[in-house]
Amino acid sequence: MAIQIKTRQEIESLRIAAQLASDVLDMIGEHVRPGISTNELDRLCNDYIVNTQKCIAANVGYHGYPKTVCISLNEVVCHGIPDAQTILKDGDILNIDVALIKDGWHGDTSRMYSVGTITPQARKLIDVTHEAMMLGIEAVRPGATLGDIGHAIQRHAEAAGFSVVREYCGHGIGRVYHEDPQVLHYGRPGMGTRLKPGMTFTIEPMINMGKPGTEVLPDRWTVLTRDRSLSAQWEHMVAVTEDGVDLLTR
């Protein structure tokens, strides 16, 4: 599909959905602790989205996905399915990815959480992944390219000794959950689609402690690092403005 350029009014509607998605991640943080199941975290998110925020949980039923949020634990890169058997324990790291719909507009964001005391290496992975995402966001401005975003992320992650997942990327977002453009988290400066005011998309790098290879479990959703090293991810929604970038999921 063609890239959808949003009006200022449409971006404000998108911002409302983006902020609501961020609020879910704020809410769930205090519940991330040893002994809780990923299924209970999912239940709490669903209750908050549906009954408190009066929104639609965008993931439920999306291409058959069975849950409200994706919870990706330790070596899970993305699309981890919450279940009652997976219990958080001290030292775990996890990403919680929320998507919802408010008045027809999508909000989509994710955040890393740590359980109890994590290793210094895991903390470095989480921090570097966040830094890489923010550097990608800082590269957004009219006239820049998608390659500039990917290059900023890749350079920072690899300088720290980590690797960038290639198979999954950010995406345009609006009334449609996943629309053009695809936003790669690696690339070369000056390459790819040139950015214009009114573009809205996610930047959501997945960074591995080991090699970049991934594999998908038989459930056809859960993505693991092939070498079973830890993986981290953060996600923000942004809009390209006349003079820079607007962080919608602030």
Side-chain angles (χ1 to χ4, degrees), residues 186-220:
Y186 60 96
R188 290 186 290 166
M191 301 297 289
T193 301
R194 202 159 292 279
L195 305 182
K196 298 178 180 179
M199 288 183 177
T200 54
F201 49 84
T202 69
I203 298 177
E204 47 182 300
M206 287 142 276
I207 307 298
N208 293 348
M209 187 174 287
K211 296 180 179 180
T214 64
E215 64 179 68
V216 183
L217 290 183
D219 64 21
R220 298 193 296 178

Side-chain angles (χ1 to χ4, degrees), residues 10-194:
E10 288 172 333
I11 289 173
E12 290 310 308
S13 296
L14 200 55
R15 187 193 313 279
I16 292 170
Q19 288 294 313
L20 286 165
S22 291
D23 289 346
V24 179
L25 295 179
D26 290 340
M27 177 279 299
I28 201 63
E30 66 180 283
H31 300 283
V32 176
R33 61 182 183 271
I36 195 169
S37 72
T38 55
N39 199 62
E40 178 63 9
L41 294 175
D42 186 80
R43 186 196 67 78
L44 290 166
C45 289
N46 183 274
D47 180 68
Y48 191 75
I49 291 169
V50 174
N51 297 316
T52 300
Q53 295 182 323
K54 309 299 183 185
C55 293
I56 297 170
N59 285 334
V60 177
Y62 183 76
H63 293 301
Y65 189 77
K67 295 292 184 174
T68 298
V69 296
C70 297
I71 301 182
S72 301
L73 188 67
N74 296 326
E75 71 275 12
V76 179
V77 175
C78 59
H79 304 157
I81 302 174
D83 62 52
Q85 291 73 44
T86 303
I87 308 297
L88 300 188
K89 63 183 185 302
D90 189 76
D92 284 337
I93 65 171
L94 63 152
N95 174 276
I96 300 180
D97 192 338
V98 172
L100 55 77
I101 305 169
K102 176 66 173 177
D103 298 329
W105 294 94
H106 287 78
D108 183 12
T109 185
S110 80
R111 192 177 298 175
M112 290 299 296
Y113 299 86
S114 56
V115 184
T117 302
I118 64 173
T119 67
Q121 295 89 345
R123 171 53 57 195
K124 180 181 178 182
L125 177 66
I126 290 173
D127 291 345
V128 167
T129 304
H130 185 267
E131 291 161 5
M133 175 188 63
M134 295 308 297
L135 288 168
I137 290 170
E138 289 173 12
V140 176
R141 63 184 182 280
T145 68
L146 291 176
D148 295 335
I149 298 172
H151 176 73
I153 292 168
Q154 181 182 8
R155 180 174 56 185
H156 189 71
E158 292 181 352
F162 302 138
S163 62
V164 180
V165 171
R166 300 307 207 256
E167 294 90 344
Y168 304 92
C169 61
H171 53 89
I173 189 166
R175 289 191 178 276
V176 176
Y177 189 172
H178 294 90
E179 60 185 34
D180 283 339
Q182 293 191 351
V183 182
L184 303 182
H185 303 117
Y186 60 96
R188 290 186 290 166
M191 301 297 289
T193 301
R194 202 159 292 279

